[in-house]
Amino acid sequence: MLPHLDSAYGLARWMLRHPHEAEDAVQDAYVRALEHFDTYQGRGEKAWLLTIVRNVCLMRLRRSRQSANVVMIEDVLGQVEQAVAESSSAKAAADPETASIARAERNEVHRALGRLPTSFREVLVLREFEELTYKEIADVVGVPIGTVMSRLARARSLMRSLLIEADRGEHKNEV
Amino acid sequence: MKCEEVRELLEALHDNELVPETRAAVVEHVQGCSGCARALRDLEVLRPVIAKAGRFVTPAELRARIIRTLRHRDAGFARGWRWRTLSALVASHAAMIIGGGLIVYVATSDYLRHGSATREVVAAHVRSLLDERRLALTSGDQHTVRPWFAGKLDFSPEVVNLEQDGFPLLGARVDYVDGRYQAALEYTRRNHKITVFEAPADETWVNATRRSVHNGYNVIQWVSGGLSYQAISDLNGSELGHFAALLRRKSKE
């Protein structure tokens, strides 16, 4: 399981968005993984481990939402939906959009990914950084493959909108 | 194919998730349709941009913590197994008393003999996963690996190159498993490591292929040309079976 440590930590970081929280979650997940090693059937070790990491992260998210005043997914979703609506109104100018997406820098990408609702962020992270197949993602997240596909499509279109929006914001500042 | 159908499949095409026939149909449509081609390009632009975010690097302190957790568990494995061996022994003796059947005893002790051997190779394989520097020789060439063992072992192990079959050889080491020095060869399939242990077969080895699963690891054991082979991996059973069959066939050549 050690070879998948970076994957486990990466997923926890993207889900919890806090280094110490992520470290504790990964430690917790490995202990759980060892306790339940008997249930592991000898294939897809990485996906199996990431499933546990994800569950631990969700538990922590739920707990922190109960205790602290964390922004609810719906609020973020609302903002993002608005961003999508704004960008699709300018759909005709597709190539400048492409250019502005390609210009995005590392911290803009980080910020955009961070603004995605968790359910979209996790599938995108599992696909783009962990390179899991649709089937593996479906197993990790516990939803049908069709849902994985639609969430991925949504996640990507949201990323596009957020990156375009970020790029526009920057140009406004330049002017 | 119509544009609407193709649009639904573009993500799957981009993620390499289409079966060849569908893939061919979608690609053909995209080549002749500027709208769909643009939609695909939009997707393709995004991937390198997302990749800019980079992967997080695991803090060294966390890595050390996890290694301690895993090692602790490795010791736990051994304890758990001693208990299981003991209970199997008790069961086998009980069977002897009840049935008076010598056959049961022989079968059980054979099971125990091979069970403990399997147990040890699983532990050795897991240790090699924990410490990636354990390969003493890194080479995928059988004509480098085989002579390397000379003088280190009192037998000459079979080293087969399976690169063309999709199982490249990573390297070799000598390991002390099941009470004797064994040749350990490491192969890989995608991200899965396969360790093959080879040692002279003694009379307790029967001439049949055994398959078992231990703690999630698939193990296949067989005897060929006076050597016992044990292949172990987290790879799925059918692919490991394919690997074992290839090794068996090629080592005879």
Side-chain angles (χ1 to χ4, degrees):
Chain A
M1 286 187 291
L2 202 60
H4 308 304
L5 182 55
D6 284 335
S7 305
Y9 181 68
L11 179 62
R13 273 297 293 269
W14 279 119
M15 286 193 73
L16 299 172
R17 309 188 56 215
H18 188 286
H20 292 144
E21 280 278 311
E23 284 191 40
D24 289 347
V26 169
Q27 166 82 20
D28 200 4
Y30 269 80
V31 170
R32 273 158 201 268
L34 290 172
E35 277 168 10
H36 300 285
F37 205 52
D38 320 349
T39 64
Y40 166 59
Q41 286 303 309
R43 33 169 211 277
E45 186 178 273
K46 181 173 169 181
W48 177 75
L49 182 67
L50 291 181
T51 308
I52 299 172
V53 172
R54 177 181 178 269
N55 289 339
V56 170
C57 289
L58 283 184
M59 253 161 36
R60 283 175 172 263
L61 280 175
R62 243 172 256 141
R63 217 181 301 147
S64 66
R65 247 179 228 130
Q66 276 162 9
S67 59
N69 198 4
V70 181
V71 185
M72 295 304 286
I73 282 184
E74 288 72 23
D75 294 346
V76 183
L77 201 54
Q79 291 171 21
V80 178
E81 295 279 2
Q82 203 182 343
V84 176
E86 280 168 15
S87 78
S88 57
S89 65
K91 206 72 191 169
D95 282 335
E97 279 189 1
T98 303
S100 75
I101 288 169
R103 263 200 300 273
E105 307 226 346
R106 185 172 187 270
N107 52 2
E108 283 167 355
V109 179
H110 261 262
R111 215 174 302 134
L113 259 169
R115 284 184 66 190
L116 292 186
T118 316
S119 58
F120 293 153
R121 194 192 314 131
E122 63 182 6
V123 292
L124 199 60
V125 166
L126 291 173
R127 177 62 216 147
E128 296 296 330
F129 298 126
E130 300 311 328
E131 298 181 353
L132 296 194
T133 63
Y134 287 0
K135 172 76 178 67
E136 287 170 323
I137 298 174
D139 288 344
V140 170
V141 180
V143 297
I145 289 180
T147 310
V148 171
M149 292 173 72
S150 64
R151 282 190 192 169
L152 258 182
R154 284 296 303 276
R156 283 175 173 145
S157 94
L158 289 172
M159 276 303 282
R160 292 177 57 80
S161 311
L162 288 167
L163 291 171
I164 291 164
E165 189 195 61
D167 190 58
R168 280 199 197 126
E170 221 150 80
H171 281 267
K172 238 177 266 166
N173 293 344
E174 279 168 20
V175 175
Chain B
M1 266 186 151
K2 288 192 187 115
C3 281
E4 303 96 80
E5 289 175 73
V6 170
R7 293 293 167 100
E8 299 244 311
L9 295 172
L10 278 184
E11 301 260 343
L13 172 72
H14 178 56
D15 288 323
N16 205 11
E17 291 268 352
L18 293 180
V19 294
E21 306 85 69
T22 318
R23 187 189 163 84
V26 174
V27 168
E28 195 193 321
H29 174 97
V30 169
Q31 279 166 351
C33 169
S34 63
C36 290
R38 165 170 285 169
L40 181 61
R41 218 164 36 239
D42 281 351
L43 276 176
E44 285 167 349
V45 164
L46 198 58
R47 176 156 290 160
V49 173
I50 291 177
K52 283 183 193 172
R55 291 188 60 163
F56 287 106
V57 179
T58 311
E61 199 272 326
L62 175 63
R63 185 172 291 272
R65 236 158 81 191
I66 300 291
I67 289 174
R68 278 200 299 276
T69 308
L70 290 173
R71 288 214 200 285
H72 181 67
R73 167 70 189 200
D74 209 17
F77 273 166
R79 274 201 303 281
W81 210 76
R82 272 200 290 279
W83 185 81
R84 252 177 285 166
T85 311
L86 190 69
S87 53
L89 260 173
V90 170
S92 79
H93 280 88
M96 221 170 37
I97 293 160
I98 296 164
L102 190 62
I103 298 157
V104 176
Y105 178 73
V106 171
T108 316
S109 67
D110 179 56
Y111 163 79
L112 279 177
R113 163 78 184 74
H114 286 279
S116 77
T118 310
R119 188 78 223 158
E120 283 210 25
V121 295
V122 171
H125 175 73
V126 172
R127 278 198 303 276
S128 76
L129 294 179
L130 287 176
D131 186 354
E132 282 158 12
R133 293 159 301 178
R134 277 174 57 91
L135 274 185
L137 172 72
T138 320
S139 169
D141 178 12
Q142 65 207 92
H143 303 295
T144 307
V145 176
R146 205 163 177 224
W148 178 81
F149 279 115
K152 295 184 181 68
L153 293 169
D154 57 358
F155 63 96
S156 178
E158 275 295 341
V159 181
V160 179
N161 191 344
L162 296 174
E163 172 107 52
Q164 284 174 341
D165 304 288
F167 298 96
L169 178 63
L170 294 178
R173 64 175 191 276
V174 172
D175 211 327
Y176 190 76
V177 188
D178 195 26
R180 66 158 302 137
Y181 286 102
Q182 305 213 9
L185 297 166
E186 221 164 73
Y187 292 85
T188 178
R189 174 74 154 192
R190 296 190 304 274
N191 288 326
H192 304 276
K193 270 194 192 149
I194 307 168
T195 309
V196 178
F197 293 96
E198 296 181 25
D202 57 36
E203 69 286 357
T204 64
W205 285 86
V206 281
N207 209 356
T209 304
R210 287 164 184 273
R211 290 161 171 271
S212 51
V213 181
H214 276 253
N215 289 106
Y217 288 93
N218 285 303
V219 183
I220 302 182
Q221 299 158 310
W222 71 96
V223 174
S224 170
L227 293 176
S228 69
Y229 292 79
Q230 309 193 70
I232 159 155
S233 178
D234 62 335
L235 194 63
N236 64 64
S238 67
E239 274 185 288
L240 189 64
H242 176 58
F243 170 78
L246 280 169
L247 199 61
R248 202 174 177 157
R249 202 175 66 227
K250 296 219 172 170
S251 61
K252 279 185 191 150
E253 280 168 8

